[in-house]
Amino acid sequence: MSDTARETVTITDNRTGKSVEVPIKDGGVDAKEWGKLMPGVWFLDPGFSVTASTESTITDLDGLNGILRYRGYPIEQLAESSTFLEVCYLLLNGELPNQKQSDDWVHDVTYHTFIHENMRKRFMEGFHHDAHPMGMLVSAIAALSTFYPEAKDIDDPDNRYKQINRLISKTPTLAAMAYRSSIGMPFVYPDNELSYSENFLSMMWKVAEPTYEPDPVLSKALDVLLILHADHEQNCSTTTMRVVGSSHADPYSSAAAATAALYGPRHGGANEQVIHMLRDIGSYDNIPAFIDSVKAGEGRLMGFGHRVYKAYDPRARIVKGHADKVFEVTGKNPLLDIALKLEEIALEDEYFKSRNLYPNVDFYTGLIYQAMEFPMNMFTVLFSIGRMPGWLSHWQEALEQGSRISRPRQVYTGEGARDYVPMSER
Ligand code: CMC
């Protein structure tokens, strides 16, 4: 084999002339070898553009070709044929469940949806009446750790399972509770006769009817949206989960931190921002001026662009496909036409083309959520429910890998050593 064909990279420190040849394995090189050759010289990579923080077997994302697979299964097949709870099992365990495993898992999730009454009466009711449900959710997930102090025992796999189960079961309950309390409506208790997505819709919308009967098209659409959000490898919130988990914090505290990371408009908060943007644009006629303002750097086209995808986000394609089915039931979202036109113009525009900016998952989800009558401040909450199994799978994987505490280096560019100056001399 010629030198050029070797799957290695050679690093030479020109100060000393020393070299090290490092194998390229699974598309990565082991940074330890760099460290051995040049201790004290750090890779400067703000935002982790070229840094792989871990090996992982959970989600395979090929951003150049627009491919997303959970444990090897294409997202398109899972969205078409699976359910959210089955996908949770797959992400957490690596394999699709057989019938018995599926029955046990669904039973365990269904029977752990209730929340301690103190959470509702004393905790949730303490928020200001117009509190954002994401702020409430972040706090409520963190507060769960105080109800389950045994969660600290992260080394015991059975105990881990119990906490994972609780977090997946209870997040929709907390989410619906946050919404109901924000509009002054009484809390709706979980209904064990309903599926995961149906139960969430029931807790959101039930009024006085004995049993809430969700429209099957809408509960299926919600289930698909949850599947599409279930994992996305080392994104900002999942990285947060792994980083906080690496200090061996309990899973509720780690998941609360991940939820907080998701809240931001550059991440899970983008779906809410897309609707604000479409409303501000208001009509077809205003689209060219809006595009010009984005190109002039006056704002971003929300729901476009992605750190990893340099092609059409496969999730956005699936969401777009489901939008029509939802709109048949709910009536068309009037903002859809503006979104479609915006996409059409942006995809033809050199600014967006040259930067590989395509619609991401958030571009169309907000339109569906809005048509389903979710208020805008619940959009990111829905994302959190979907992403919970992804966060937990990564948390568990990191523990099983025996990962070290996350502690990056920095390149210090501040002042050199100097003497303290007394106040009177400043
Ligand atoms: N509109 C206009 N220009 C953009 C956009 C956008 N949405 N996104 C990136 N760019 C430009 C950016 O100005 C830069 O141009 P230049 O090279 O001339 O300075 C170039 O594209 C590269 O952008 P970047 O900020 O270096 O890219 P990034 O990988 O750091 O950021 C992103 C990724 C998702 C934060 C960004 O694309 C963005 O802010 N998008 C809008 C918010 C959004 O939709 N977020 C949801 C992401 S998908 C759901 C999720 O995973 O949370």
Side-chain angles (χ1 to χ4, degrees):
M1 190 189 285
S2 75
D3 266 8
T4 48
R6 286 217 302 272
E7 283 291 302
T8 65
V9 62
T10 300
I11 310 161
T12 304
D13 182 347
N14 291 324
R15 299 167 306 174
T16 60
K18 284 188 189 158
S19 287
V20 63
E21 186 175 348
V22 193
I24 301 173
K25 191 171 156 263
D26 299 326
V29 289
D30 188 345
K32 274 206 296 294
E33 296 302 324
W34 170 282
K36 280 191 223 155
L37 181 72
M38 288 184 278
V41 177
W42 312 122
F43 273 116
L44 179 60
D45 182 20
F48 311 118
S49 296
V50 292
T51 301
S53 60
T54 185
E55 292 179 318
S56 180
T57 60
I58 301 170
T59 286
D60 188 9
L61 203 179
D62 174 352
L64 290 180
N65 296 304
I67 292 171
L68 176 63
R69 300 188 193 113
Y70 298 160
R71 302 286 191 181
Y73 294 104
I75 191 68
E76 292 79 6
Q77 292 181 21
L78 294 170
E80 177 71 29
S81 309
S82 189
T83 63
F84 177 63
L85 281 190
E86 185 174 74
V87 165
C88 293
Y89 185 99
L90 172 69
L91 288 169
L92 287 158
N93 299 287
E95 297 296 338
L96 289 167
N98 61 29
Q99 191 63 54
K100 161 102 176 59
Q101 290 163 330
S102 172
D103 292 347
D104 289 349
W105 170 241
V106 172
H107 177 274
D108 283 356
V109 172
T110 308
Y111 283 81
H112 288 89
T113 48
F114 275 63
I115 305 280
H116 195 290
E117 275 296 282
N118 280 353
M119 274 295 280
R120 180 176 68 82
K121 286 203 196 116
R122 307 195 174 217
F123 192 82
M124 296 304 255
E125 287 179 6
F127 285 101
H128 200 248
H129 67 90
D130 60 354
H132 194 292
M134 269 306 275
M136 296 170 81
L137 185 66
V138 169
S139 319
I141 292 174
L144 279 188
S145 76
T146 64
F147 289 86
Y148 305 111
E150 75 277 14
K152 287 185 176 40
D153 184 7
I154 54 169
D155 293 323
D156 172 7
D158 292 339
N159 187 38
R160 281 208 297 262
Y161 174 80
K162 212 184 250 178
Q163 313 314 325
I164 287 172
N165 178 228
R166 282 177 174 148
L167 270 160
I168 291 178
S169 311
K170 295 180 199 307
T171 302
T173 314
L174 293 175
M177 204 184 255
Y179 167 68
R180 301 285 290 207
S181 94
S182 74
I183 55 160
M185 288 281 283
F187 172 57
V188 176
Y189 286 92
D191 183 340
N192 291 353
E193 297 305 311
L194 299 176
S195 74
Y196 191 84
S197 296
E198 289 170 340
N199 180 46
F200 178 62
L201 293 174
S202 162
M203 291 189 291
M204 285 289 295
W205 309 128
K206 185 168 185 274
V207 185
E209 61 275 44
T211 302
Y212 181 78
E213 286 178 16
D215 187 296
V217 173
L218 301 188
S219 52
K220 171 69 186 160
L222 178 61
D223 213 61
V224 169
L225 289 169
L226 295 178
I227 291 173
L228 298 182
H229 286 89
D231 193 42
H232 214 227
E233 51 119 301
Q234 310 308 319
N235 54 86
C236 177
S237 55
T238 302
T239 300
T240 304
M241 183 87 190
R242 287 187 91 121
V243 168
V244 178
S246 81
S247 75
H248 287 183
D250 69 78
Y252 300 98
S253 304
S254 305
T259 312
L262 189 75
Y263 194 177
R266 284 174 161 186
H267 190 9
N271 50 20
E272 189 177 337
Q273 297 305 320
V274 170
I275 301 295
H276 287 298
M277 175 187 76
L278 295 174
R279 278 191 177 161
D280 288 348
I281 295 173
S283 76
Y284 268 26
D285 299 346
N286 299 330
I287 294 177
F290 174 76
I291 295 274
D292 287 346
S293 72
V294 169
K295 285 157 62 175
E298 288 163 22
R300 290 203 162 188
L301 176 48
M302 298 310 287
F304 258 67
H306 199 276
R307 171 62 58 79
V308 182
Y309 289 119
K310 302 303 167 201
Y312 209 101
D313 182 336
R315 302 168 301 171
R317 190 169 284 118
I318 300 169
V319 175
K320 207 172 160 186
H322 265 79
D324 292 338
K325 292 183 199 158
V326 169
F327 296 154
E328 267 172 36
V329 176
T330 61
K332 196 171 89 179
N333 188 324
L335 296 175
L336 176 68
D337 289 338
I338 298 180
L340 289 169
K341 193 72 193 163
L342 201 52
E343 177 186 339
E344 187 189 312
I345 293 177
L347 292 182
E348 288 300 313
D349 191 293
E350 202 41 42
Y351 174 95
F352 297 92
K353 273 166 59 179
S354 63
R355 289 169 179 76
N356 294 317
L357 299 172
Y358 295 90
N360 59 50
V361 69
D362 288 326
F363 194 65
Y364 287 106
T365 48
L367 292 171
I368 298 189
Y369 294 148
Q370 202 184 34
M372 289 171 76
E373 298 187 357
F374 285 106
M376 274 196 277
N377 61 12
M378 282 298 286
F379 293 1
T380 314
V381 171
L382 292 164
F383 195 152
S384 313
I385 298 172
R387 187 54 55 86
M388 188 56 77
W391 292 332
L392 292 164
S393 304
H394 284 271
W395 172 73
Q396 179 173 256
E397 182 179 67
L399 290 174
E400 285 169 355
Q401 287 168 334
S403 72
R404 300 173 75 197
I405 190 165
S406 293
R407 204 309 183 181
R409 299 290 184 150
Q410 65 167 9
V411 174
Y412 178 69
T413 59
E415 300 285 349
R418 49 183 175 163
D419 290 327
Y420 179 77
V421 182
M423 184 69 85
S424 58
E425 291 173 26
R426 286 179 220 160

